[in-house]
Amino acid sequence: FDLTLANISATVIVKLASELLDTLTPDGALVASGVLHDRRVEIEQAMDRAGGQIDNVEKNGEWLKFEVRPAAALPARPR
């Protein structure tokens, strides 16, 4: 898919990170939301392990939304 939306708990996003990213075309994007801000690092680590690169994170109150792309689709970001 060009776009996959997942508004589910952080636990499920972490568990299914690889499967969610596998639904994407090479230029596709995953939008994962419904994540409390204190679970941010878990999501970042899970997406990294699954081969995803977080392109953007937005905060709304205590909730986060992640925009993730397959790592091969983005140029490497300086750290």
Side-chain angles (χ1 to χ4, degrees):
F1 296 104
D2 292 331
L3 178 64
T4 298
L5 304 174
N7 185 22
I8 50 181
S9 73
T11 301
V12 175
I13 292 171
V14 167
K15 184 176 179 179
L16 298 178
S18 290
E19 289 85 350
L20 290 167
L21 289 171
D22 284 347
T23 67
L24 300 175
T25 61
D27 293 325
L30 166 66
V31 176
S33 60
V35 177
L36 292 170
H37 72 280
D38 62 344
R39 307 285 301 270
R40 180 178 182 148
V41 172
E42 274 182 84
I43 299 295
E44 291 172 339
Q45 291 172 344
M47 290 300 156
D48 186 55
R49 284 190 305 268
Q53 185 169 349
I54 296 172
D55 192 30
N56 187 42
V57 179
E58 291 184 26
K59 185 175 181 184
N60 183 359
E62 61 186 20
W63 299 100
L64 297 175
K65 177 189 82 172
F66 295 83
E67 295 174 22
V68 187
R69 297 186 185 278
L74 293 174
R77 289 188 293 179
R79 296 205 177 233

